[in-house]
Amino acid sequence: MSADAVALNRASLPELAGRSVPVPDYDRDALAVGIVHIGVGGFHRAHQAMYLDRLFAAGRDHDWALCGVGVLDADRAMGAVMERQDDLYTLVLKHADGSREPRVIGSMVDYLVAPDDPDAVLECMTDPATRIVSLTVTEGGYHVNTATGEFDGSEESVAYDIARNADTIPRSAFGFLVEALRRRRAEGTGPFTVMSCDNIAGNGDVAHRMITAFARLRDERTGDDLAAWIEGEVPFPNSMVDRITPRTTDEDRRELAERSGVDDGWPVVCESFTQWVLEDRFAAGRPAFEEAGVQVVDDVEPYELMKLRLLNASHQAIAYLGYLAGFRYAHEVCADEEFVRFVRGYMDDEATPTLLPVPGVDLGDYKATLIERFANPEIRDTLARLAAESSDRIPPWLVPVIRRNLEQGGEIERSALIVAAWARYAEGVDEAGEPIEVVDTGRAEERTAAARRYPDEPLAFLEDRSLFGDLAADERFTAAYRRHLDRLHAEGARAALRAVLDGV
């Protein structure tokens, strides 16, 4: 750490401003909480919190500040840093030319760790001033059974909250949400809007269905009719969110201290590109997001399909094939002409035909920009991060592309290779014989066991209906999948990729 770095907190803001670090120029004492956010990770702080900071800097909507909430025991680490830093943190844009653009973000004014003070969380969520509760709890945080699409209440804290007595405190994000809504209804406060900012298709619709299903199971125990009230009264707007935000490293902390003189325990680093498309459906008003650069629209679906099937599914192609070929970072893969041709071919020939018309977007420019973003060497986005939690990612991002193209007689070769590369990656050993740490919460061992049944059972991985439905019964897809999987084992990822490029 640089010897002359200044510890980030409220008192140090004037000194940091003197060092040419942009800091909040609005009165944070005049901010009032209007949004409670559950799941304060890097993405939220690089995205939603940043947009609010922009809005406050423009002199707007100071009654929409953030109170962050962590519901996991692991969130205590974030809570300790936020307390020490007066809820301030540094957002650092990493430009491809090596330049950095730091800014201290001040839109969060409190951070609560639910396991330590659950009553404070419920008090904040039931306060009439709180009109939005937003979420970034990852794809798995919505508890969707990927085989049936229905609610899965088996996770420990969720199961506890379904069965808990009325006089006990909830433990899960869903538990806190539903209990807060119950109290607001009882007190006549009215509902808040539940705003999902997670990277899943129809995120608001998914949140609506899963939270209502959770409440219905609670009602069966309590005799209440809260689920019907939530169903009819609580808005769940859909949104599309986009900003590549790798995990913060110790090197990021050191660099911020050395370059900018900021000693920040948990800065956020990200690319300069950002996009947020938000459905305009709220119960009790909203910030003027559009004045901060948010696209507020009537229908988010065309934008979210574009992003999930072009950006996110392409990330999966980069992750498995790139890792197996010996790369470890996304920018390394996108410096390789053959990999770029493969990814762009997937975008053009397989993903794009499944999209809806996207108002105001030139898809050619969008796809070219994606490749540029992936190739940014300063982001250093690891392939291991992109390949994590694949069971929550491939089913909603890539499988719908495959299904649509099978129905329409479209191209599937690249998608089949991506799935085969996932199976090969899930075996847990790369082409050099080195171990791969397969990160797939609660499912890694199961996925690895299925993948390792090759070659005796070449379709074992594909036969998991919770991931792929009935794709294993489709002869056209399984023929392509088996051909690619065989080549991955016999000749490696590079040869498998070249075979697709050459039409072999």
Side-chain angles (χ1 to χ4, degrees):
M1 192 67 65
S2 175
D4 64 347
V6 177
L8 176 60
N9 54 46
R10 177 189 293 263
S12 67
L13 291 180
E15 183 173 354
L16 292 173
R19 299 185 179 198
S20 299
V21 177
V23 301
D25 58 0
Y26 47 87
D27 182 2
R28 293 183 75 231
D29 288 331
L31 298 180
V33 171
I35 303 174
V36 171
H37 184 82
I38 300 175
V40 182
F43 181 78
H44 165 71
R45 294 189 297 144
H47 197 262
Q48 181 189 345
M50 178 277 301
Y51 281 104
L52 287 166
D53 182 78
R54 280 185 184 175
L55 204 56
F56 300 157
R60 292 297 309 269
D61 294 343
H62 286 188
D63 57 344
W64 286 103
L66 287 159
C67 173
V69 172
V71 297
L72 305 176
D73 289 338
D75 291 325
R76 289 189 177 95
M78 174 71 74
V81 172
M82 291 295 98
E83 181 177 12
R84 185 170 69 245
Q85 298 183 176
D86 298 319
D87 303 301
L88 297 163
Y89 64 92
T90 315
L91 178 64
V92 182
L93 308 190
K94 289 188 167 185
H95 298 283
D97 63 3
S99 63
R100 300 290 186 264
E101 189 178 344
R103 177 180 179 83
V104 176
I105 303 295
S107 53
M108 189 178 302
V109 296
D110 199 5
Y111 184 94
L112 301 172
V113 180
D116 295 340
D117 199 349
D119 290 323
V121 173
L122 287 170
E123 182 179 349
C124 190
M125 293 175 73
T126 54
D127 189 323
T130 296
R131 287 149 288 165
I132 296 174
V133 174
S134 53
L135 303 167
T136 46
V137 292
T138 75
E139 298 93 333
Y142 292 86
H143 310 289
V144 181
N145 183 308
T146 54
T148 66
E150 301 301 318
F151 176 68
D152 180 354
S154 62
E155 193 274 326
E156 183 179 358
S157 65
V158 171
Y160 171 87
D161 282 343
I162 292 170
R164 71 177 177 83
N165 295 325
D167 59 349
T168 58
I169 293 296
R171 295 178 181 175
S172 68
F174 280 18
F176 279 100
L177 272 165
V178 170
E179 176 62 18
L181 287 168
R182 184 192 70 78
R183 294 185 184 190
R184 291 176 74 106
R185 183 185 65 162
E187 295 165 5
T189 304
F192 46 65
T193 297
V194 178
M195 184 173 71
S196 170
C197 295
D198 275 296
N199 188 34
I200 54 178
N203 51 16
D205 295 337
V206 171
H208 191 178
R209 289 190 296 106
M210 297 303 110
I211 290 170
T212 303
F214 171 92
R216 192 171 293 115
L217 292 174
R218 282 285 298 157
D219 287 349
E220 291 175 3
R221 177 175 177 81
T222 64
D224 203 346
D225 61 350
L226 184 61
W229 183 80
I230 294 173
E231 184 80 44
E233 300 296 329
V234 179
F236 291 79
N238 289 304
S239 69
M240 183 271 267
V241 297
D242 189 6
R243 181 166 240 179
I244 297 173
T245 309
R247 292 187 180 94
T248 301
T249 66
D250 287 339
E251 178 57 32
D252 293 322
R253 295 180 178 89
R254 285 193 294 270
E255 184 182 86
L256 178 61
E258 292 169 2
R259 285 196 180 202
S260 303
V262 184
D263 179 1
D264 186 337
W266 213 318
V268 184
V269 298
C270 64
E271 64 174 338
S272 58
F273 180 93
T274 183
Q275 187 176 23
W276 188 7
V277 184
L278 178 63
E279 184 181 10
D280 198 1
R281 187 157 55 93
F282 291 81
R286 61 169 175 80
F289 285 126
E290 62 272 28
E291 296 188 18
V294 180
Q295 296 168 261
V296 180
V297 302
D298 294 329
D299 185 9
V300 172
E301 185 181 13
Y303 300 91
E304 72 182 9
L305 291 180
M306 173 188 73
K307 192 254 181 172
L308 295 173
R309 296 181 181 183
L310 292 176
L311 185 152
N312 294 114
S314 295
H315 262 163
Q316 299 304 287
I318 289 170
Y320 314 124
L321 286 166
Y323 198 101
L324 291 170
F327 299 113
R328 292 298 177 262
Y329 293 93
H331 69 272
E332 295 173 337
V333 180
C334 288
D336 186 295
E337 182 181 352
E338 289 182 320
F339 275 87
V340 170
R341 284 176 54 207
F342 176 84
V343 172
R344 186 60 193 256
Y346 160 77
M347 291 181 185
D348 290 341
D349 299 338
E350 301 190 24
T352 298
T354 74
L355 302 180
L356 299 171
V358 189
V361 175
D362 183 314
L363 285 179
D365 289 346
Y366 181 81
K367 289 180 281 192
T369 299
L370 286 182
I371 298 296
E372 292 175 3
R373 293 168 62 193
F374 296 166
N376 183 342
E378 299 301 313
I379 294 297
R380 298 187 65 78
D381 204 6
T382 66
L383 300 183
R385 184 189 81 86
L386 300 181
E389 311 301 345
S390 302
S391 297
D392 292 328
R393 297 179 174 187
I394 288 290
W397 297 348
L398 186 63
V399 171
V401 172
I402 296 169
R403 290 194 179 285
R404 184 69 179 273
N405 285 324
L406 287 172
E407 292 168 1
Q408 297 182 338
E411 294 289 334
I412 60 163
E413 287 295 324
R414 292 170 178 82
S415 296
L417 177 54
I418 296 168
V419 175
W422 177 23
R424 175 65 184 84
Y425 179 93
E427 292 179 24
V429 180
D430 70 12
E431 293 177 7
E434 297 297 319
I436 297 173
E437 181 185 3
V438 178
V439 177
D440 204 342
T441 305
R443 295 163 288 202
E445 291 184 5
E446 178 184 352
R447 301 292 176 257
T448 297
R452 288 180 176 177
R453 285 157 65 185
Y454 176 91
D456 295 334
E457 299 177 54
L459 296 181
F461 192 83
L462 195 62
E463 288 171 344
D464 189 330
R465 295 183 68 88
S466 71
L467 300 175
F468 303 109
D470 60 357
L471 278 186
D474 188 286
E475 293 183 4
R476 182 181 171 214
F477 185 77
T478 56
Y481 170 84
R482 291 186 63 172
R483 184 171 64 255
H484 295 319
L485 189 57
D486 288 345
R487 186 169 276 123
L488 285 167
H489 280 91
E491 303 174 51
R494 175 75 66 176
L497 182 141
R498 285 175 176 165
V500 171
L501 294 178
D502 294 338
V504 178

